Amino acid sequence: MAATAPSSSGPLTRVLLVGANGTLGSVILEGLVQARCFDVSVLRRSTSTSPPTAAAAVRTVSISPDLPLDELTAACQGHDAVVAAFPLTDVSQHLRLVEAAFRAGVRRFIPADYGSCDAASPQPQHHLQLYRDKTLVRDKCETLGEHAARDGKPFTWTSIVCGHFFDYGLEDGLLHFDLDTRTAQILDGGDIKASASTLRRVAESVVAVLERPDETRNRAVYVQSFCPTQLEVLAALERATGTPWHTQHLDSNAYLERQSRLLAEGNHAAVVEIVFVLGTVDADWTTRDGFAMELLGLRDEKLDDVVAAVVAKHKSK
């Protein structure tokens, strides 16, 4: 069934989610459905083997696996907002999606700009193509937003920068806290504050942005669940597990240099290690002009509660 054309004003209710089966996308989908104020569609590659969403109210839009621009544009038509939540393994797909949203008259585009650190900062730009790619997408959003404002078109954008995916990263060891061996790798003494967000907090942020289109147009917003140091996370883990943990202290610069050499030699596993460091040493959003917790009506979560839930989930496996 073809969707009707989106209005040029009013609430952003008709939402197309791209990447709904992923780690983050599935949680965003749940948040959009639970908000009960959105008409949600999900984009699905015709070759996808993932099970379709079980949410009865969610429509599926099928598309060729290489995401051609003409099909993306047709898929975006009739939607007020497009939310990207799939990995930037092929930046050209993300750039085409922005272009398609613009051509289709979409009023708000949220790029996949979420995790770890601010992609536009100098250190991430220097170390990883991932962050250079994220910046390419944000730059395209900015350019098309300027064109839209000049030409009277509806397109706007919002980037959501959230720090490390805390619950996911803690459970999978990506934050270098090992729940099995109860060991931790601590950078630079462990007293650097870094904003981090649970997956649910990212979903809440997407909902909050869509509910506040005027306040969030054409800008990056910085969100968090909390902003602890590594030592504060370690203390919470010791309280949750009831035992002391063993620690290894590392120099972040030396660690970055070593991982960068490995990456240059073709060891792509080093990307995850570089992301870990960058999201730990340069991610205090509370000091940024774009810190948007109050704007979005969000409050910090309790670190101990989130850590205890992750530990309990890990024990139950």
Side-chain angles (χ1 to χ4, degrees):
M1 181 177 66
T4 57
S7 62
S8 59
S9 61
L12 303 171
T13 56
R14 286 165 287 188
V15 181
L16 177 66
L17 176 61
V18 186
N21 287 317
T23 298
L24 176 61
S26 59
V27 181
I28 292 177
L29 176 60
E30 181 181 6
L32 290 170
V33 171
Q34 290 181 349
R36 299 183 183 279
C37 58
F38 300 108
D39 181 3
V40 184
S41 302
V42 299
L43 196 70
R44 181 181 176 85
R45 299 174 199 262
S46 59
T47 55
S48 175
T49 58
S50 301
T53 176
V58 175
R59 290 192 300 272
T60 298
V61 180
S62 183
I63 192 170
S64 300
D66 56 346
L67 306 185
L69 179 59
D70 58 343
E71 292 187 34
L72 281 173
T73 303
C76 289
Q77 286 175 348
H79 294 95
D80 299 311
V82 172
V83 179
F86 63 109
L88 272 92
T89 50
D90 182 351
V91 69
S92 68
Q93 295 181 343
H94 289 260
L95 294 171
R96 287 199 299 277
L97 182 60
V98 181
E99 179 71 30
F102 174 79
R103 293 187 180 190
V106 168
R107 293 166 49 210
R108 181 61 49 89
F109 184 84
I110 299 178
D113 206 3
Y114 310 98
S116 303
C117 58
D118 184 354
S121 296
Q123 198 172 30
Q125 287 283 301
H126 171 73
H127 281 284
L128 284 182
Q129 184 63 44
L130 167 66
Y131 297 119
R132 295 190 286 274
D133 287 346
K134 283 189 175 186
T135 303
L136 281 175
V137 177
R138 194 190 294 188
D139 287 347
K140 188 171 184 67
C141 289
E142 291 179 350
T143 298
L144 292 179
E146 291 168 1
H147 289 172
R150 183 191 64 214
D151 299 337
K153 294 184 178 180
F155 179 87
T156 60
W157 61 276
T158 308
S159 281
I160 298 172
V161 185
C162 64
H164 279 312
F165 298 148
F166 183 82
D167 49 345
Y168 173 75
L170 186 60
E171 184 175 355
D172 278 21
L174 301 175
L175 302 186
H176 286 225
F177 294 97
D178 191 315
L179 293 170
D180 291 321
T181 62
R182 296 184 181 177
T183 58
Q185 291 184 317
I186 304 298
L187 300 174
D188 301 340
D191 58 356
I192 301 171
K193 286 189 172 294
S195 298
S197 298
T198 62
L199 297 177
R200 181 170 293 277
R201 172 47 46 90
V202 182
E204 291 169 343
S205 301
V206 170
V207 169
V209 164
L210 295 176
E211 290 176 336
R212 296 163 176 81
D214 293 335
E215 300 92 329
T216 59
R217 62 184 290 128
N218 295 339
R219 59 173 293 188
V221 294
Y222 296 80
V223 300
Q224 64 180 34
S225 288
F226 25 62
C227 188
T229 67
Q230 280 188 294
L231 292 180
E232 289 170 338
V233 176
L234 176 64
L237 282 164
E238 290 182 332
R239 288 189 290 271
T241 58
T243 59
W245 282 45
H246 299 286
T247 59
Q248 177 188 9
H249 286 263
L250 305 172
D251 177 86
S252 65
N253 289 326
Y255 193 84
L256 272 176
E257 289 178 9
R258 183 165 63 253
Q259 296 302 322
S260 294
R261 286 196 301 270
L262 289 173
L263 181 60
E265 294 167 0
N267 185 346
H268 293 286
V271 170
V272 175
E273 303 304 312
I274 294 170
V275 168
F276 153 65
V277 176
L278 296 177
T280 302
V281 301
D282 185 24
D284 183 353
W285 306 151
T286 64
T287 64
R288 299 293 182 100
D289 290 339
F291 187 56
M293 293 291 286
E294 184 176 352
L295 173 71
L296 298 179
L298 301 173
R299 295 176 178 269
D300 277 3
E301 299 183 66
K302 292 184 178 179
L303 177 64
D304 275 315
D305 290 349
V306 173
V307 169
V310 171
V311 170
K313 181 180 178 181
H314 187 76
K315 285 181 178 178
S316 68
K317 289 183 176 180

